[in-house]
Amino acid sequence: MARTQTHPVHVVHRIGAAALGVALLVFGVLGLARNVPWLFAGELVWGLSTNGALAVLSIVAGLVLVISSVWGGRLASTVSIGLGVLFLLSGLVHLGIMHTGANVLGFRLSNCLFSLIAGLFLSVLGFYGRVSGGLPPDNPYRREHPIKHHRPDPDEQIRAESGDEQHQRMMDAEISVAEGTATREQAEAVERERARKLEQDRKHRSTR
């Protein structure tokens, strides 16, 4: 079992995945309990059409979401993104085949709308807290950023604040400039620091 992740971003991912996962599980179980046909048209559950195949798929998707939420926030986020894309594709595809013989899952318009809404919810949930350009220092996904070699760990930032606040402010300014989120003051400070270092290097070379 993965170690417990208690960061608020992980909590959001886990709760969101678990909530929709439980709803899908209940929907699937209720469908199977009504002895619906396995393919094509079925019965209504919560205003959505379901048959045996759709009920089983709902149970599988629900179990995946619930298990990912129990395992950890990072996995819940990744699974939410993946299933979100599948739900969106399913809703769009079934809008096109809804009145044809290819509609083996018995989708109706309400099913398509639910699939699109659920897909959007899962996608937003999964990407929450991990795609922003200005991730806070304690964000668990910050170290995965392409410029992570410029980023200290949160513990290192805390130690830097107690030892050299000026150096820490400059470090934060450089990170913000690299991310494109720097204020005018931060950009000017970084530019002055670069100019100072260039001047030092020039003097050092001239004394050799």
Side-chain angles (χ1 to χ4, degrees), residues 181-200:
T181 60
T183 64
R184 182 170 59 86
E185 291 78 11
Q186 286 178 318
E188 291 175 351
V190 171
E191 188 61 32
R192 287 194 300 268
E193 181 65 11
R194 289 175 179 173
R196 185 185 67 81
K197 290 181 179 180
L198 287 174
E199 180 64 19
Q200 284 183 341

Side-chain angles (χ1 to χ4, degrees), residues 9 64 77 89 101 166 194:
V9 170
V64 170
S77 170
L89 290 176
Q166 183 176 0
R194 289 175 179 173

Side-chain angles (χ1 to χ4, degrees), residues 40 93-94 96-107:
F40 301 104
V93 169
H94 281 92
I97 67 172
M98 188 166 46
H99 300 296
T100 69
N103 187 15
V104 295
L105 297 181
F107 264 53

Side-chain angles (χ1 to χ4, degrees), residues 42-130:
E43 296 186 15
L44 290 179
V45 175
W46 294 348
L48 303 174
S49 175
T50 187
N51 55 28
L54 182 57
V56 170
L57 287 175
S58 299
I59 291 174
V60 171
L63 284 174
V64 170
L65 284 170
V66 170
I67 292 172
S68 70
S69 70
V70 173
W71 187 267
R74 189 180 299 273
L75 180 61
S77 170
T78 302
V79 169
S80 295
I81 294 172
L83 285 181
V85 172
L86 292 179
F87 268 87
L88 289 171
L89 290 176
S90 175
L92 293 173
V93 169
H94 281 92
L95 280 174
I97 67 172
M98 188 166 46
H99 300 296
T100 69
N103 187 15
V104 295
L105 297 181
F107 264 53
R108 299 185 184 182
L109 182 59
S110 57
N111 296 74
C112 294
L113 292 177
F114 173 80
S115 186
L116 292 173
I117 293 172
L120 182 60
F121 169 77
L122 286 172
S123 298
V124 172
L125 173 71
F127 282 117
Y128 170 74
R130 61 187 301 177

Side-chain angles (χ1 to χ4, degrees), residues 2 74 143 170:
R74 189 180 299 273
R143 299 172 214 176
M170 182 57 63

